[in-house]
Amino acid sequence: MARNLIDIVDFTTEEIEQLIAVAEDIIENPVKYQDACAHKQLATLFFEPSTRTRLSFESAMLSLGGSVLGFSSASSSSTSKGETVGDTIHTVSCYADIIAMRHPKEGAPYAAAQHCDIPIINAGDGGHCHPTQTLTDLLTIHREKGCLSGFTIGFCGDLKFGRTVHSLVNALSRYENINFVFISPEELKLPRYVKEEALKKKGIPYTQTTSLEEALPQLDILYMTRVQKERFFNEEDYIRLKDSYILTPEKLVHAKADLSILHPLPRVNEISVAVDQDPRATYWKQVKNGKFIRMALILKLLGIEV
Ligand code: CP
């Protein structure tokens, strides 16, 4: 039976830390890994749009000496003719060694994994979770702060539909002394099931607020998110909520000097481009880290040791 990554809970804390260690070794010694996946093929099956996740997976496999195939929209695959996800996955598993898939329906990668015997990686399923973004975020936090414990992290924006938030809260809830601050409009609060599973069951305290300005001075990490237009049922609500939070240099005057500002991207309007010049802006480093952690993940799921 192949090992998959459908949800971040599929990996133990030790496995996550091993991946971070391998990713950091790849960053230091890229040549060592350049032929590690020679003659292996990665299929990227994206039924929903992506820039970073798909291209970082493809760049990761190419940098490991492997090759890539796949599609970037459902409309260019036989899904548009009515083929089921199960049949698509069964087909692709005849051509590739490992699959990364994104799908608008929650649970689709789990269902896909029942139809093949090669590793499946969830590259984002609807508003549910995004475990490879979480690995990217953990690597970034580890590189910026030197550890994964003992800090205050604020999650700001669309915490209801933001799948990257759900997965990261889950992962960080394993570590000691983390203060969680959730900053969102009332309508976009973190779902109850995430709070129950990741925080309440473990007795982890958290605070919820609607004010970014009030929360900002206490934060070591600020995780900004986009309001997820594609998950809204009506445009009126999206337009009303989309600019709830806009991070500007003026707002950062009251933030800590060693704050790290993360964002899974894409950004729409929630971080002013002027913030990019601030040394606390960490989101472009986060984009780079996404490739290295995905290289480590591909190696792990293919059972390749370097
Ligand atoms: N962070 C992220 O998932 O970005 P893409 O949608 O561009 O893949």
Side-chain angles (χ1 to χ4, degrees):
M1 183 87 176
R3 187 84 196 272
N4 305 308
L5 175 60
I6 305 298
D7 191 314
I8 198 68
V9 299
D10 295 342
F11 282 178
T12 65
T13 307
E14 290 69 32
E15 286 179 311
I16 289 173
E17 288 173 4
Q18 275 164 8
L19 283 174
I20 290 173
V22 172
E24 289 185 330
D25 191 50
I26 292 169
I27 292 167
E28 296 304 318
N29 306 291
V31 175
K32 200 169 113 185
Y33 294 86
Q34 66 188 4
D35 297 317
C37 284
H39 313 297
K40 298 288 184 189
Q41 298 188 23
L42 165 75
T44 53
L45 311 184
F46 278 64
F47 298 84
E48 203 184 50
S50 167
T51 296
R52 274 147 295 274
T53 311
R54 184 172 66 83
L55 295 178
S56 65
F57 262 117
E58 295 189 359
S59 177
M61 190 50 150
L62 294 172
S63 296
L64 290 167
S67 50
V68 296
L69 64 159
F71 52 80
S72 58
S73 73
S75 62
S76 65
S77 76
S78 287
T79 304
S80 61
K81 302 176 201 161
E83 186 169 59
T84 63
V85 170
D87 283 357
T88 302
I89 295 294
H90 194 158
T91 302
V92 175
S93 71
C94 300
Y95 310 139
D97 300 291
I98 183 167
I99 293 173
M101 73 172 280
R102 170 172 289 186
H103 201 283
K105 283 205 179 119
E106 290 82 1
Y110 174 80
Q114 316 309 310
H115 293 269
C116 73
D117 52 9
I118 65 170
I120 296 273
I121 302 168
N122 179 3
D125 61 330
H128 183 219
C129 62
H130 193 345
T132 66
Q133 181 64 46
T134 300
L135 294 172
T136 302
D137 301 340
L138 293 174
L139 172 62
T140 305
I141 294 170
H142 191 262
R143 289 181 72 72
E144 293 301 307
K145 301 293 179 198
C147 64
L148 294 172
S149 57
F151 51 74
T152 298
I153 180 167
F155 292 89
C156 179
D158 183 351
L159 311 189
K160 179 179 179 184
F161 297 117
R163 57 193 175 195
T164 66
V165 173
H166 307 162
S167 294
L168 184 56
V169 169
N170 213 312
L172 288 176
S173 71
R174 304 173 187 204
Y175 291 91
E176 299 290 318
N177 299 323
I178 296 184
N179 296 314
F180 292 90
V181 182
F182 299 113
I183 308 151
S184 73
E186 281 299 320
E187 295 97 321
L188 299 178
K189 280 162 87 171
L190 193 69
R192 187 187 298 250
Y193 83 90
V194 180
K195 283 185 274 200
E196 286 291 338
E197 288 300 314
L199 304 172
K200 287 188 181 167
K201 265 190 191 172
K202 299 177 190 170
I204 298 172
Y206 60 87
T207 53
Q208 297 185 106
T209 177
T210 55
S211 171
L212 174 60
E213 284 83 348
E214 278 175 27
L216 202 44
Q218 61 176 303
L219 304 181
D220 301 300
I221 298 168
L222 171 61
Y223 194 95
M224 291 296 293
T225 62
R226 166 180 74 93
V227 175
Q228 306 264 309
K229 182 179 184 185
E230 64 276 30
R231 315 268 176 239
F232 275 74
F233 292 111
N234 71 71
E235 199 170 349
E236 208 175 283
D237 285 347
Y238 170 71
I239 289 169
R240 184 168 52 81
L241 293 166
K242 73 183 173 68
D243 291 330
S244 298
Y245 304 100
I246 301 177
L247 188 66
T248 59
E250 294 72 39
K251 285 185 187 150
L252 283 166
V253 166
H254 302 293
K256 289 185 180 176
D258 63 350
L259 174 75
S260 295
I261 305 164
L262 273 66
H263 190 313
L265 305 183
R267 147 177 71 183
V268 182
N269 209 22
E270 59 282 355
I271 300 182
S272 145
V273 288
V275 174
D276 295 6
Q277 308 308 320
D278 190 304
R280 294 169 288 187
T282 312
Y283 32 92
W284 294 113
K285 290 187 206 169
Q286 199 179 352
V287 171
K288 270 196 169 175
N289 289 336
K291 170 179 168 174
F292 302 119
I293 199 76
R294 289 181 174 101
M295 288 171 78
L297 177 64
I298 291 168
L299 290 171
K300 176 178 175 60
L301 294 181
L302 289 177
I304 296 170
E305 281 189 33
V306 177

